[in-house]
Amino acid sequence: MSDYFNKTEEQEFNDVKNWFKANGTPILLAIIAVCGATFGWNFWQKSQLENAQKTSATYQQVMESYSQDPSKNAPLVEKFVSENKDSSYAVFAQLDQAKQAAEKGDFAKAKTLLQQGLQATSDATLQTVIRFRLALVDFQLNQFDDALATLGQIQDEAWTLRKQILTGDILVAKGDKAAAKSAYQQALTTAPAQEKSLIEVRLNNL
């Protein structure tokens, strides 16, 4: 299951994490610059920067431990999430856990973690990543209607091709070959060359 999550989608998630790590501090500094360098804001600046740096470092440590021994160190992740509910790093931790669960075939657990992460974030890009993963998990659970409904909530046009291909795959599993054919044909109109051959294989197998 190491390739379960689409590599492009996985990179999208990593880009969100990297952007947050790279820009979190500058954003805080910009807010402070606008508000003025009073003693109170200087104190707030120092406190917020220290908290952000501490949370980031703790996240890295916790997830490194978790990746080495998920069963033993799962409580560390749960504790981190509980103590950092308002942080994007808590959502990152839940998504990392969900990926581990999916790779082990525990899709029910993965779904629960993804739903929790979706409820906890207001970031549009992160919501899109989570919804796509939820659709993949529902597909594996044979919850096809739920998967299609979740895909329908993804509005980012950059994800259209991935949505169309996954929609086709789900419709094939449902036995609706006519609708699946339509989804694949729509995907062909915008797919790059390397993707077209894979879509054509799907069409030929209908």
Side-chain angles (χ1 to χ4, degrees):
M1 296 299 294
S2 60
D3 293 328
Y4 175 70
F5 287 120
N6 180 281
K7 286 185 172 60
T8 304
E9 173 263 334
E10 180 68 16
Q11 183 59 47
E12 192 99 12
F13 172 50
N14 288 332
D15 287 345
V16 174
K17 290 199 292 186
N18 292 335
W19 184 93
F20 187 86
K21 184 176 181 180
N23 293 283
T25 297
I27 288 173
L28 289 173
L29 290 173
I31 292 172
I32 292 161
V34 171
C35 294
T38 64
F39 173 79
W41 284 110
N42 284 334
F43 177 80
W44 183 86
Q45 170 191 11
K46 181 179 179 181
S47 175
Q48 292 298 311
L49 291 178
E50 288 177 350
N51 288 339
Q53 292 168 351
K54 181 179 179 181
T55 302
S56 176
T58 303
Y59 165 77
Q60 297 292 339
Q61 293 169 359
V62 168
M63 298 318 299
E64 182 176 348
S65 297
Y66 179 72
S67 65
Q68 293 173 355
D69 192 340
S71 298
K72 177 182 178 181
N73 295 315
L76 293 178
V77 182
E78 294 168 3
K79 182 174 183 290
F80 174 81
V81 171
S82 177
E83 293 177 348
N84 297 276
K85 291 180 180 179
D86 296 328
S87 167
S88 292
Y89 287 106
V91 180
F92 296 158
Q94 289 172 317
L95 265 64
D96 288 335
Q97 279 188 299
K99 182 183 177 184
Q100 288 272 0
E103 289 175 343
K104 292 181 178 180
D106 191 349
F107 296 106
K109 180 179 179 180
K111 180 173 182 175
T112 297
L113 289 163
L114 289 169
Q115 288 174 326
Q116 291 173 351
L118 184 60
Q119 292 175 355
T121 184
S122 59
D123 181 88
T125 300
L126 197 51
Q127 287 176 339
T128 296
V129 172
I130 295 173
R131 286 191 172 109
F132 192 81
R133 291 190 176 191
L134 264 175
L136 285 168
V137 166
D138 280 333
F139 183 21
Q140 294 297 318
L141 291 169
N142 293 330
Q143 296 174 357
F144 304 131
D145 290 336
D146 286 347
L148 292 172
T150 299
L151 284 177
Q153 295 175 357
I154 297 176
Q155 303 300 318
D156 189 339
E157 293 184 359
W159 289 72
T160 298
L161 177 60
R162 278 169 280 185
K163 281 177 56 180
Q164 290 168 337
I165 294 174
L166 182 55
T167 295
D169 292 346
I170 295 169
L171 290 169
V172 169
K174 285 191 68 174
D176 192 344
K177 292 186 178 181
K181 181 178 180 180
S182 177
Y184 290 145
Q185 288 176 332
Q186 290 177 29
L188 274 177
T189 63
T190 58
Q194 64 268 26
E195 293 285 349
K196 283 186 177 180
S197 60
L198 296 175
I199 297 170
E200 288 169 350
V201 169
R202 286 172 163 86
L203 282 168
N204 292 334
N205 287 333
L206 290 176

